[in-house]
Amino acid sequence: MTQVSKKRVLILISGSGTNMVNLVEHCQAGDINAEVVAVVSNRSDAGGLGKAEALGVEAVSLPHKDFASREAYDEKLTELVKGYEPDLVVLAGFMRILTPVFVNEFAGRLLNIHPSLLPKYRGINTHQRALDAGDKEHGVSVHFVTEELDGGPVILQAKVPVFKDDVADDLQARIHEQEYRIYPLVVRWFCAERLALQDDGVYLDSVKLGEQGYAAD
Ligand code: GAR
């Protein structure tokens, strides 16, 4: 078997960073073929920054509020991220719309996790929207990022049930549990060079995935 080089992963966050911590721990435990080279936040008060440092990972804050426009911010962010020479850029609760400047630079090596069964509920407040719609199931999607907001091809989804008296926080907790399972799995595939974005979709082990990614029912 040919040896696959260890990958450099950079994680972007905006908040508490629990997915980021989970990914760093998987990398440090050796079950993802990668090193997390930096964690970058667009908010200086993101709780995840301290958690990254505690794990020995370089944590950088680049506050968007210091920039006059979205484009100006994304140019700076692109430059900062490129400086770490990442093989993969992982959005983990990064709550900003990215412009084509950034997305195109990292096309094919940019992943996001979104708390809905895409293409349902792009954007924000996904748990409340699922509740308001009376959905019986909800879920989470990992996808490649393209210029279309939450519109890139899905790699893997996980479903959770919605119970009668659920509030958004219940769904959030149930979704988080699934996120901690599926995001490391997808990052592991990518870092083992098993996953690729092509013009016509996502391939895992050279097999094209369906609209809902791997393991769709
Ligand atoms: C996660 O649930 C993730 O799916 C969501 O933010 C949360 C971050 O939690 N992302 C989005 O809504 C992106 N549109 P964490 O900071 O504890 O990892």
Side-chain angles (χ1 to χ4, degrees), residues 52-68:
E53 270 171 5
L55 286 160
V57 177
E58 192 168 332
V60 183
S61 159
L62 184 69
H64 63 266
K65 60 178 174 51
D66 295 350
F67 292 79

Side-chain angles (χ1 to χ4, degrees), residues 15-20 92-93 95 112-115 123 150 172 176 179:
S16 63
T18 64
N19 276 285
M20 173 275 295
M95 303 304 283
N112 184 38
I113 192 159
H114 181 75
D150 298 328
Q172 165 86 347
H176 257 137
E179 293 187 329

Side-chain angles (χ1 to χ4, degrees), residues 17-204:
T18 64
N19 276 285
M20 173 275 295
V21 167
N22 183 47
L23 289 168
V24 170
E25 287 175 347
H26 275 277
C27 292
Q28 292 182 342
D31 53 48
I32 296 177
N33 175 39
E35 177 193 356
V36 178
V37 291
V39 169
V40 177
S41 172
N42 65 311
R43 297 179 57 109
S44 54
D45 61 352
L49 288 171
K51 293 177 190 167
E53 270 171 5
L55 286 160
V57 177
E58 192 168 332
V60 183
S61 159
L62 184 69
H64 63 266
K65 60 178 174 51
D66 295 350
F67 292 79
S69 69
R70 198 173 280 283
E71 287 71 23
Y73 180 74
D74 277 14
E75 268 173 35
K76 188 70 190 170
L77 184 66
T78 303
E79 196 184 301
L80 174 72
V81 172
K82 269 173 78 176
Y84 288 94
E85 302 183 345
D87 299 295
L88 176 67
V89 178
V90 173
L91 309 182
F94 186 67
M95 303 304 283
R96 261 186 85 73
I97 295 172
L98 289 162
T99 61
V101 174
F102 187 92
V103 172
N104 293 335
E105 178 67 40
F106 301 105
R109 49 190 177 120
L110 183 56
L111 297 177
N112 184 38
I113 192 159
H114 181 75
S116 78
L117 293 171
L118 290 171
K120 267 191 160 181
Y121 311 131
R122 295 176 183 184
I124 59 172
N125 298 328
T126 58
H127 309 315
Q128 193 56 50
R129 286 157 70 197
L131 290 172
D132 292 346
D135 291 356
K136 294 283 177 287
E137 66 177 15
H138 184 43
V140 54
S141 308
V142 177
H143 64 99
F144 276 109
V145 177
T146 60
E147 284 188 28
E148 196 183 346
L149 177 67
D150 298 328
V154 170
I155 302 161
L156 187 59
Q157 292 185 321
K159 290 179 181 171
V160 300
V162 180
F163 299 120
K164 194 165 68 60
D165 297 323
D166 276 345
V167 294
D169 282 352
D170 297 317
L171 289 183
Q172 165 86 347
R174 214 168 288 142
I175 292 277
H176 257 137
E177 260 181 57
Q178 296 306 318
E179 293 187 329
Y180 302 150
R181 290 164 198 241
I182 69 170
Y183 219 0
L185 186 56
V186 172
V187 173
R188 184 180 309 141
W189 288 342
F190 187 93
C191 293
E193 297 181 4
R194 296 177 56 193
L195 190 66
L197 176 65
Q198 310 275 353
D199 288 343
D200 64 340
V202 176
Y203 287 75
L204 177 65

